[in-house]
Amino acid sequence: MASTVLEKILSDVRKAKYFGLIVDSTPDITHNDQLSYVLRYVDEKGDIHERFIKFENIHGHTSAYLTLTISTLLEKLKLDMKNCVGQSYDNASNMSGKYSELQARIKELSPKAEYVPCATHSLNLVGVNAVESCTTAAIYFGIVQALYVFFSSSTSRWDVLKKHLLSKQKNILLKSRSQTRWSADANSVKALYLGYNEVMLALTEIGEDNNQKIGVQFEAKELHKKLKKKEVGITTIVWNTILQRINNTSIDLQKSTINLSVIVSVYESLIAFIHDVRNSFNNIELESKSFNIDSEFCDKRKKQPPKSRMLDDIANNPGVNLSKKQDYIVNTLYVLCDKLISELVKRNHAYKLLEQKFGFLYKNMTRPKISNSVKLILKTYSDDLDYELVDELIQFQELKEIVFPESTSKIVDPQRQLKYLRNMDIRNTFPNIEILLQIYLTMPCTNCSSERSISALK
């Protein structure tokens, strides 16, 4: 049965001709390193598929070893490496390095194999780097995890927490953080955000319960003091607002049918959203009044720098004295949002380069712009396309305006275009467009399918 299923998948891939490569590795329960292979292709109907092929034991992680392992398998499967038009891995240096690592070596074997960094893994790294951007953020997530550990390490404390949350019809309980899954952080912050006041009441009850050990009472009071601080309440609102957007975006990007035309616009919309959060402190502060927290920010006592004897030393010049509120805005909110924005811009750069190369497929462009874009495309896919591509594109632009009226103002999904060409059986009129759309849709955007296979590994 397994052989029959595999042969059916390989038959479909060969029929499609072009394929994308997705690989990821993990140690299994017996400490053997397993490499998961997934192939992406577009079938005759224009539907996108990402199919698991096999697990394989590996004995190294060098790019040279992985390249040899992958090329040997494709040869066994009778798949031509030159038809590999896309590759996607996580952001590990041995996989994504652009000079001598796996993606570069695969590109040497197949110059058409465009490397696409995993869009969801990139989002995950954006969040991880933002947590480390300022001390307040790191301290905050320490508090979130400490709350979960405090309540979950005792059934009686967990019952107290549930009692307060359920009394207010809050059905969401505290969640643990994760160092690798950013969605876990989104869930843990959301749980605290929705039950902030109830968590504080539970801590108060435990802190005043003389039947508890003194250490437990002390810890409950200390955690209550931290939640009482205005900056902790506001940080909860800020992180919940940002994380829910990132998490929901990440869930959509994990779909195996997603294509590159979506990623750039989604990343740019996230950047615009975080800009809006950065400039919305007054609204955030107003929302924080629903929490039972202090009305003023804590006073941070700072050691005064020693006076300098040099006349031109900056220490002799009067510095800018920020209020406690301004200090939070400048040194926490701005730092956090600016780090998120800069990371998103950096990660989005790789997708923008591909958009500049293939954007004419789903955007309206003038003839000179189309001609410039096509030169590079024809150079890359010289074995698959011919010189008539420019004329086809000019005619196809006119066709899109008739068939897809929204194309004058919006992006037309490349998959929708390919399905139209095949359903209407006008592929002879636009043979180059059909091939190019198929190649574009075959490029994988994430390595989520390989990670899903790893989830089932034993």
Side-chain angles (χ1 to χ4, degrees), residues 114-128:
E114 296 284 356
Y115 170 62
V116 186
C118 176
T120 54
H121 195 264
S122 294
L123 265 187
N124 194 65
L125 291 175
V126 166
V128 170

Side-chain angles (χ1 to χ4, degrees), residues 78-90:
K78 298 179 182 178
L79 295 175
D80 189 348
M81 175 65 88
K82 290 182 180 177
N83 290 328
C84 177
V85 295
Q87 46 180 328
S88 184
Y89 322 116
D90 61 23

Side-chain angles (χ1 to χ4, degrees), residues 16 18 42 418 422 433-442:
Y18 306 107
V42 180
L418 180 63
R422 291 181 173 177
I433 300 287
E434 184 200 10
I435 291 169
L436 204 49
L437 284 168
Q438 183 180 346
I439 289 172
Y440 183 75
L441 292 169
T442 302

